Amino acid sequence: MNRARRTNRTVTALVVTALLGASVLSGGAAQADEYPSWDDVEAAKASETAKQSEVDEITQLITQLKDEATQAQQQADAKWTLNEKAQKALEDGQAKADSLADRAAALQASADASKKQAAQLAAQFARLGGGEDVTTMLITDSSSESDDLLGRLGSLSKLSETVSGVYATAETESNDAAAMNDQAQVARDALAALADTAASALADAQAAQKAAVGAVNAQTSHESELQAQLASLTQNVATTEADYQAGVAAAAAAAAAAAAAAASAGSAPGAPISDDAQALALELVGDIQAGRLTGADPDHLPEIEWIAAGQSVGNCGIDTQILAAIVVAVRTFGSAGVSDINRKCTGQIEGAGIYSAHYVDGGGHAVDFNRLGGQGLTGADENSLRLIQVLDTVMPPGSGLGQRQCRIAAGDEPELSNFSDFADTCTHLHIDDL
């Protein structure tokens, strides 16, 4: 077996294990004692039968790892679909309850206004009638007075009809308001069940996502060793576990050196910003290792490290434009902290929920910076304004920018060319490319 060729082929896959270690999400991975040891491999070489049996077992394990990773990702995708439907149903249910309540309130307000109008008309009716005996007035009054009285009676008749009509309208509106209130209450009562379903669906999706990531990690951490063991058997190479571990260490060192070199090259004055996602992520991995790029809880930095390793993890991708924005931030300020990138990867539902740029279209279309140059951010502070100015010229037209009200309150709302800003909490700086 050509060890140098083997190391080169696995360097990007091994960097994940070397960089992430036990900090990566786990779940769904087989136990270590289920895999053959190097002693098992060496012992199997004693006979062709034993060797073939070991080859078959290792081949089956490799296939199983791939299948488990694929199936886990499919299950996660299915659970996320159910979660999105449940979250949407909850939002629609809340909107329906609110709409019915608003319509009930409007109907009741109209009914109250109609009743007030009817009361005013009734008072006018009383004033026109004057409280007198109409029959006596018609017999005793003169002809002109009788004509005047008959005119007043005509007015009273029309006013009476109007009062009756207004009262009828008020009664109808009151009944409609009561019925609408009943419907709103039914909708509000349904929200509890919808909320429970949404919470359960989210928990299922989070667990499935964790299992999918765990299956990918199991494949990454075990497949390269199984492939090396398989090569040792089929090519009759006397490879030991020590040889394999030395190769792993060399691959990890090469990957770390490559990341450090990428980060160093990126920090050079006038260095261009790459449009290749893996190159950008590799530079950022160097920044992570050097402490120039930090995460939060939950930690989104593994999302960057997977991309640097050329590893595709479902629902954990990051748009190239967002990676570039993070690179720009680190280069500009020497260090940066990110609190959110792809919320779908970590199973977060907050803020704009399933409509957040952190979540939609697979997630990873937004980044929240919580520190720049070692300083916390409000979205209206000096560092935030400086980064906004830098990124506004390179982000796509219509890109999202948070914390609008924070800057307006501080009197520092800048002229924007490509960004379209909106209100957001004044605890970070939100950037997205949607």
Side-chain angles (χ1 to χ4, degrees), residues 8 58 79 82 94 97 119 144 170 189 213 218 267-268 277 306 314 324 360 368 377 384 394:
N8 289 335
I58 292 175
K79 293 295 185 183
L82 291 175
Q94 183 65 62
S144 60
D189 292 342
V213 171
S267 62
W306 286 318
V360 297
D368 286 350
L377 305 179
S384 291
V394 298

Side-chain angles (χ1 to χ4, degrees), residues 49 65 120 195 213-214 253 258 316 318 322 330 349 352 389:
T49 301
L65 283 169
Q120 292 171 340
V213 171
C316 293
I318 305 175
I322 296 303
V330 176
I349 297 291
Q389 183 180 27

